[in-house]
Amino acid sequence: MDSDVRYSLESADKRSVVAVAQNLVGKTLRDVARIDSLDSFSSEEDPFEAAIIQYFANSSKPLCEYDGAFERALSIKAFPVKIGRNGQLVAKDRLVLGKIGFSDILDEPWETSLVRKQYGKLLLLAYLYEPCTNPVDYIFQFADFWAMPDEDAYTIQRDWETVVGKISSGRAHEISSGDTLYLEAYAKDGLASGTVPQPLSDIPAIPRYWAFKKSFVMSLVHRMSDAQKISRSKLQSTLPLSELVRQHFDKYVGYTEEDLGEIFGLTQKGKRPPKSLSALITRRILGVAEDSKILEFEKAGIVAKTIRLKRNGVPKYPMSFPKFDYCKLAVTPFEDSDFRGYLEQKYLLVIFREDDEVRNEYHLDSVLFWQMPESDIPEARRCYKEMQRRVRDGHADQSVKATENRCCHVRPHGRNAEDTCMTPYGVPVIKKSFWFNSKYIAGEIQRLNTKGLSVG
């Protein structure tokens, strides 16, 4: 039987499964299943998941073998959440649905695909992840059925078609998580997992799994834990998100930031413009209130960034990330770091280009959706690990320079020389953050424009 537990979906059985699932909320496997260790679960899959399967098998109606009629079956997925900075539950990782068969998927229509079959069949179990804790002591936070909302179905189908399109054209080796918005073709171990043949090309490809992106799982957590406290606006349209955004920005191409500030009533003559002027302009162009978050952007993990390109095509300022904590950096592996999460985000780059004749006058030029290519992640990892080494060795004051790494570097990000953070050795050093190199971003913008991926 597949590792996903599957039950009959007759109403009586469904109620039985829900009752078993709800009994887990607020409890642990040690509490409900009297399991003290996962050592006895020698499953090829996750032992924690295997223990959950056993609990359901012992607590509900008999399991039915999967006979190909998925309409009468149910999948149970357990996934970790953690406590966010605001005290609310947030997703810890993406939600993996199943492996992609490069050959099998060529003749598989969307209607019978693995992802489509999950509609209304997922019983989601969220447990609170605590480092250095025995998994049998993880506390389950909520359990409920998940049915694909109509508002998400169109985007997820487009994501699926994008990935399948690459496989069908012999380009499975070019698949990247940046290709899509909600659903991704995820490489579990990246290059470390080796490669496999693909059917329509001699070039081997990294094995991939269907997965909902972490940002999309975050929206599921918000819905299911009833944690959405702030209003969220939608960009109402049946158009693809990229086309919708392009239409919003098209009418303002050529205007300066100062022009747009006046148009939207955000600036006044004789007064200093607000520091967040570019972000406010982006919201006004998209028709989103200042106190609202854009629902589609949240689900896709999209962050808007303003880029000012000088006449030579290089950004006037490098692109920065939030300040890091030296002590946390010293002990956190790259894969678990905030920096890794920033690299996985998709960015809406709102690009202003310097006037050819008037110096320091920037006009709205275009907008691009961009995510760091997976092939560049190892270079960013190298920057992170080098800075981590310096902090551990007591040299937190020595930043990784842009000349040392093709993609990223480290530089001060404090208000002034007195704005410091304590290192593991008890020495205060000015606060710093990771930054994308200006020339790297310039190259990526040029690459996207060359491929015709500009929204503007």
Side-chain angles (χ1 to χ4, degrees), residues 244-260:
L244 180 59
V245 170
R246 184 192 66 78
Q247 288 190 2
H248 277 277
F249 276 86
D250 262 355
K251 65 185 76 171
Y252 298 106
V253 169
Y255 286 90
T256 66
E257 191 173 41
E258 291 74 18
D259 293 336
L260 294 172

Side-chain angles (χ1 to χ4, degrees), residues 369-382:
F369 280 118
W370 175 78
Q371 183 173 340
M372 189 179 204
E374 291 179 3
S375 58
D376 290 339
I377 296 294
E379 184 73 358
R381 180 190 292 110
R382 192 170 68 82

